[in-house]
Amino acid sequence: MQKKEAYKWALKQIQAQINRHVDIVATLANITAILKERFPNFFWVGFYFLHDQELILGPFQGPPACMKLSLEKGACAAAVHQEETIIVPDVHQFPGHVACDSRSNSEIVVPGFDCRNKIRMVLDVDSEKFNDFDETDKEYLEKIVEKLKTIW
Ligand code: SME
């Protein structure tokens, strides 16, 4: 299946979850499960919540990850500061990259906002392949995160 098609399917499934939303953890947990199932190249996919100037691990699929990330370094922190999606084609070249698992080689991080446009979290996806994320991933992962504005 083409990547765009896979994202369109994922978006439909995610919208169905949001329509049934009762709890943030439950909704986000299922979103990570949908993405992990649809995209076998997603080695790790999950959310970090912004709490008291730190990023705290939220629902995810994949190997165990860092429970807490500082805002001083790494791709997730950069996405928070810039309030923009960060695509990292080679994590080993990213200054201050935080390696939660050494198998990860590329990454995309999408910031998530609430209805007042206050940043609340990031969606982070890692791949074992280098250069595995492009503008299509950015476009659709941003659409997914945009849909989550209403859950806060
Ligand atoms: N690589 C991220 C840390 C999170 S893990 O990849 C799950 C970073 O540099 O912020």
Side-chain angles (χ1 to χ4, degrees):
M1 199 189 283
Q2 294 289 309
K3 185 150 73 172
K4 278 194 179 187
E5 288 307 305
Y7 271 118
K8 284 180 189 163
W9 275 103
L11 267 171
K12 280 188 190 160
Q13 289 180 292
I14 287 168
Q15 186 60 58
Q17 296 296 322
I18 293 169
N19 294 346
R20 280 183 239 139
H21 172 74
V22 283
D23 175 82
I24 285 182
V25 169
T27 299
L28 297 186
N30 268 347
I31 289 172
T32 62
I34 289 165
L35 290 173
K36 186 85 168 79
E37 278 220 323
R38 276 267 158 224
F39 297 92
N41 60 316
F42 285 11
F43 170 68
W44 191 93
V45 49
F47 293 93
Y48 278 92
F49 297 120
L50 185 58
H51 272 314
D52 297 335
Q53 294 301 302
E54 280 179 328
L55 286 163
I56 307 294
L57 182 62
F60 72 95
Q61 296 267 315
C66 313
M67 290 204 276
K68 208 163 73 169
L69 300 171
S70 102
L71 290 182
E72 320 245 296
K73 61 177 186 165
C76 293
V80 170
H81 290 303
Q82 294 174 29
E83 299 202 343
E84 274 181 11
T85 298
I86 310 259
I87 295 175
V88 186
D90 177 354
V91 298
H92 311 287
Q93 303 299 321
F94 191 88
H97 172 256
V98 181
C100 294
D101 190 299
S102 59
R103 288 169 287 180
S104 171
N105 283 314
S106 64
E107 173 169 26
I108 183 168
V109 189
V110 181
F113 304 87
D114 63 19
C115 290
R116 294 177 181 165
N117 281 327
K118 187 178 163 213
I119 184 160
R120 302 300 290 260
M121 64 180 184
V122 296
L123 170 60
D124 181 20
V125 188
D126 287 33
S127 171
E128 289 179 282
K129 284 191 218 149
F130 288 95
N131 202 13
D132 207 18
F133 301 105
D134 58 17
E135 288 300 311
T136 301
D137 297 286
K138 178 178 185 293
E139 180 188 345
Y140 282 92
L141 293 173
E142 285 180 353
K143 280 186 190 183
I144 290 166
V145 165
E146 176 75 21
K147 285 183 181 291
L148 295 170
K149 278 193 162 179
T150 53
I151 69 170
W152 299 97

